[in-house]
Amino acid sequence: MDLFMMNCELLATCSALGYLEGDIYHKEPDCLESVKDLIRYLRHEDDTRDIRQQLGAGQILQNDLLPIITQHTQDKPLFDACIRLMVNLTQPALLCFGKVPDDPAFRHHFLQVTSYLQAYKEAFADEKIFTVLSETLYNLLQLDWEQRAEEDNLLIERILLLVRNVLHVPADPYEEKNVDDDASIHDKLLWAIHMSGLDDLLKFLACAQSEQQWSFHILEIISLMFRDQTSELLVNAGQMRSAQEKQKDMQELELLRQKELAEKRSRTLLRGARHSRFRGSYVIQGLKAIGEKDVIFHQGLHNFKNYSHDVGKPTRRVPKRKQMAQDSENQRRSALNVRLFLREFCIDFLENCYNRLMYLVKEGLIRERAQQHDETYYLWAITFFMAFNRHQNFRPDVVSETISNRTFHFIEKNITNYYEMMLTDRKDATSWSRRMHLALKAYQELLLTVNEMDRSKDVNIQHSSNVIKSNIFYLMEFREIFLTLLRKYDERMQPRSFLRDLVESTHLFLKMLERFCKGRNSLVVQKKRVKRRKHTCAYEGTKLCDVFHVGLQLSESLTQSAVPFDATSETPVDEQRTEALGRIQDCIMSCAGPEALSLLRAARAVWPEGDTFGSVEVEPEEELELLKQILFTKLPSKLTVHILLYLILFANPSVVRPYIILLRSYSQNSVHTNHCITRMLHRLAVDLKMEALLYQLSIFSMFNKILEDPAVAVYQELVTFAKYVLNRFFVFATKNNKAFVELLFWKNVGAVREMTEGYNKDGSNLLTSLHKWTPEEEEQLQRLYEEYKDSGDIVETILPLLSISHTRREVVSHMVSMGLVDSVKDLKKERKGTRIVLWTEEQEDELQVLFEEFRDSDDVLGNILKRITAKRSRARIVDKILSMGLVSDRRDLYKKRKPSAPGRSSGMVRLSGPVLWLQNSLNRTADDREEDGVSHPVALVPLTEENEDAMENKAFQKLLRAVGIRAPTDGQESFWRISSSLSVHQLRSVAASLDMVEETAAEGDSEGNQENSLTVEMEDNDNQEMRAQALRALLLSRQRKCASSKSKGKYSTYLVMPMLIILLECDFDYLCFSDRIEEKISKKRRRVLDDDDDDDQRGNEQ
């Protein structure tokens, strides 16, 4: 965009800023107002960012704003406004547009804004500019927090944001074609920061106690400073190379030289001594052309090696969604002075700032005080600075903040989150893949650091390393993270560099695991939790009593023989304490009373603190309760796994396939990467003896390419392994005539066993059929089949009649192999229920006749179900009746209630079933809330006709409100809900009260007649005094029964009276004649509520 295309108002505003005469900038009187106008214009720019582009084309920042802040620093309002404007102008293009636009027009605007940002970055590479910024920042930091105003904090933040924005600008690959050791624009910018002293201020902000609010800004700036660097290059900057490094470089150079010489020799052998002007024509025998004749080759023989039928054909276009992800790693070696300055910065930062800054950033991330994706800077810092510390005189104390199990868990959680977002947010999958790669490198660096700690000569450091390794090998999420990432690898979204780091990290993890298990042959790991049925209290109480009574007469020899702690073991003390608790539980469950008590007392002597095993002065009678607590304590379940069983998890085609993808680029891989690939394939083929897993055509094609490589001497390890697998295959092919067909398919563990041990006829695994059938057993099976072949389920009938027990699968498999049935499908187990779906015309006529016959009965649907010929479920019959138009509402098919005898007790008898359902729902909700510790509203969903009718009953609705059930919200809810405010104690109190109501309803037959007759008499005489007396007598009798009931508890008495009144559908106006009843009920309610408060107080005190 040219300058003369600038908006006239914008041009006038820029002209009012001032002018540059030589090196001196003369500002206009309206300079401050013009800067504020430019800020206002930027606030109202359109989607193409037209104002930003016009200011960039006019070079306002280079010609006006930078001279203003360097020459007019004393004008504080103008300086603040210019900093504010430059922060807006230099913000990244991604923030301006939200993302890289797909539209070509907007993509052009995006690239234009990026080019202006690159020009800004070049202008900022001046020591004078950063000197002004650092001096201003220094003066602001000198102020105490009491003297620092809000404007000062804003200016500090804007200066940090300005530095961040300038460092964030990407390099222009077309303009900056610098080689290594040459100074780029980014290097010049870093040198200006160093010469101005701004790097020292950044280190001060990172470690100062009073400046912790800038921690995220500081970490982001530091990550951008080291964007193009690697820790290895910085460590070696200015250092004399060791003899080992020189030897390594010589070896790499020699390998490259051997490759070049081998390729040159191969070209020399293929090319003739005399050049032929006429290349000649050759017939390729055995290779057919389009017709029946052989292919005629019209080129020189030296080109025959590259011949293919695809020569001359147009290249097949790969869709964009199927293209492989491209690597975006850009690393270069900066100028030596820049590397030396960055090296010193890293050393000072690790010594004084790293632990504190990483702690503050981690707390901010956990408490969600950060912006979106700020955790990526945290992950980068872990990767870079821990690698620098590992190469530069390894010291675990300077990075101790990030060497912990919490850090492993944090990174593992982020990897999982990034993978899930990569699958759900397909449009931004590339960005999520980069973040996951960053998290993987942080995880890899943590493992490398722990591995380095393991090699330390300090015993304390080795012990810390063993503790960390015990946890990461014990927990399943840490143990299986690499396995999951290998299985889920997708080369369309994850680049080759991600796969390389994943393979190398897996190799390191397995190497650490093998070293950790060396001499143990097994590993104790966490087991997946399986819910088991709870033991009955009576059964456990009997066991505990037996243990207690037997244990009182323990001999001293048995007590001394119990050893709960092993001081020579490598197992941590906390784990040994947990193991002791588990051993006590096992002794109780196996009724070994003396051993349980002896272990308890021995463990108490070892761990007297914490009262885990009771206090030292515990009485023998108190040990029963202590054993009961230990028995019901939930301990983490463990499982002992052999190292080979863990390796079997990698014997899967979805795991092997990523290794083969990386092996395709073996010539570009490093020596270490090829070693990691070969070592994993060696574990599968040799350690697990599953070389048949690699019998695949694409793998053999890769082996052939490696063996024919002119520089084959460079890849000795790969060549040796390839020859081993090929030799084993050709030996295997002599025994299995299907070996060459098996090359076409990827194989799992089951297929490998079938290939090596023999194929089963029905395709099932041979391990499932361990028993061989004798001729007598086959004869018995055939006789039983002929006898019971007309029965419903032949296999279920035959199984109990066989002389030797077999599984259903074994019997079915052998019946198919004997030819008694044609297929396994003929012997499938019949599913419960009916398989009839379609209705024939005769069945519809039968249903209509039955409906006409029983339409006036009390139970229409029940009579139809009993008499219909084709048995179907109740729901299907109801749907068919509705579809035939015999009824318009399914409620017409419900069972009709018989009218109850007149009287008030009929409501109670009718609602006894729903009351029981309500009571069970309350008890079940109380149990769930007590187990989970979380209270959520629970919907009452009636599943029976009786409960549905009750939910529409006014009296039952009054009962629901009385016990605290919330009515459905209009237009939003359909069901009544148990309120989340009811505690477990309140729910069980209400349920116990309903139990009394149910008992009262069950006793209603004997007293109901008297009450009904009395009520009818009162209604006939219209004598309300007699009616009130009758109700008073009834309620008082119920009250005495409830008060005398010991099983219901004191808290349920006050709830019974209102519920009885509701269920009896009484009019409360009739009770107004009796003041004493109301007084007694209110006194009892008040007394019980006071008791409940006392109970709650006691519970809180406990």
Side-chain angles (χ1 to χ4, degrees), residues 279-319:
R279 293 173 295 181
S281 299
Y282 305 91
V283 176
I284 305 176
Q285 294 183 357
L287 187 62
K288 298 297 182 183
I290 298 177
E292 294 296 328
K293 297 182 179 180
D294 294 333
V295 173
I296 299 177
F297 185 66
H298 295 284
Q299 295 185 13
L301 289 176
H302 60 280
N303 293 325
F304 175 69
K305 183 179 180 181
N306 300 324
Y307 174 77
S308 171
H309 284 302
D310 297 329
V311 174
K313 295 181 181 178
T315 306
R316 184 178 180 182
R317 180 179 172 273
V318 180

Side-chain angles (χ1 to χ4, degrees), residues 33 42 98 167 415 439 464 559 630 802 808 891 930 1102:
E33 287 74 15
L42 282 172
L167 288 170
I415 290 176
S464 302
T559 305
I630 293 176
L802 293 172
R808 180 185 179 91
R891 296 192 178 186
E930 184 178 20
Q1102 292 175 359

Side-chain angles (χ1 to χ4, degrees), residues 294-351:
D294 294 333
V295 173
I296 299 177
F297 185 66
H298 295 284
Q299 295 185 13
L301 289 176
H302 60 280
N303 293 325
F304 175 69
K305 183 179 180 181
N306 300 324
Y307 174 77
S308 171
H309 284 302
D310 297 329
V311 174
K313 295 181 181 178
T315 306
R316 184 178 180 182
R317 180 179 172 273
V318 180
K320 189 175 182 180
R321 67 179 185 276
K322 293 184 178 180
Q323 292 178 0
M324 294 181 62
Q326 300 297 321
D327 290 325
S328 59
E329 293 184 353
N330 294 321
Q331 295 177 352
R332 58 178 300 275
R333 192 166 62 234
S334 300
L336 180 60
N337 58 342
V338 176
R339 281 186 284 142
L340 290 173
F341 136 65
L342 292 177
R343 180 175 177 272
E344 294 300 324
F345 182 92
C346 286
I347 294 174
D348 293 342
F349 182 80
L350 284 171
E351 286 278 353

Side-chain angles (χ1 to χ4, degrees), residues 839 844 847-848 850-851 860-861 864-865 868 874-890 892-893:
W839 290 75
E844 291 180 354
L847 179 61
Q848 187 169 3
L850 291 173
F851 176 78
V860 182
L861 193 57
I864 293 176
L865 285 170
I868 195 166
R874 178 186 293 265
R876 287 185 178 177
I877 291 179
V878 170
D879 292 339
K880 190 61 181 179
I881 292 175
L882 289 172
S883 64
M884 292 173 65
L886 300 179
V887 294
S888 57
D889 190 0
R890 65 177 63 242
D892 297 340
L893 300 174

Side-chain angles (χ1 to χ4, degrees), residues 918 922 958-965 982 990 994 1055 1059:
L918 176 61
L922 293 172
K958 288 181 182 179
L959 174 64
L960 294 177
R961 290 190 178 92
V963 300
I965 309 298
L982 293 176
V990 173
L994 291 175
L1055 290 171
M1059 295 178 190

Side-chain angles (χ1 to χ4, degrees), residues 214-313:
W214 316 118
S215 55
F216 281 97
H217 294 298
I218 299 302
L219 187 61
E220 188 174 0
I221 290 173
I222 292 175
S223 68
L224 293 171
M225 287 173 59
F226 292 89
R227 181 174 58 188
D228 299 332
Q229 310 298 326
T230 61
S231 58
E232 293 85 353
L233 288 176
L234 290 185
V235 168
N236 297 326
Q239 303 291 325
M240 292 293 295
R241 292 193 305 165
S242 63
Q244 184 179 2
E245 293 175 348
K246 292 181 180 180
Q247 183 67 21
K248 182 180 178 182
D249 291 343
M250 289 296 295
Q251 289 178 356
E252 292 180 356
L253 186 61
E254 184 63 25
L255 290 178
L256 292 175
R257 181 172 172 274
Q258 289 181 10
K259 285 184 182 179
E260 184 179 359
L261 290 176
E263 292 176 359
K264 188 179 296 184
R265 281 195 302 269
S266 64
R267 289 195 300 268
T268 303
L269 293 173
L270 291 175
R271 187 171 59 247
R274 179 177 178 274
H275 172 68
S276 175
R277 191 182 297 263
F278 305 99
R279 293 173 295 181
S281 299
Y282 305 91
V283 176
I284 305 176
Q285 294 183 357
L287 187 62
K288 298 297 182 183
I290 298 177
E292 294 296 328
K293 297 182 179 180
D294 294 333
V295 173
I296 299 177
F297 185 66
H298 295 284
Q299 295 185 13
L301 289 176
H302 60 280
N303 293 325
F304 175 69
K305 183 179 180 181
N306 300 324
Y307 174 77
S308 171
H309 284 302
D310 297 329
V311 174
K313 295 181 181 178

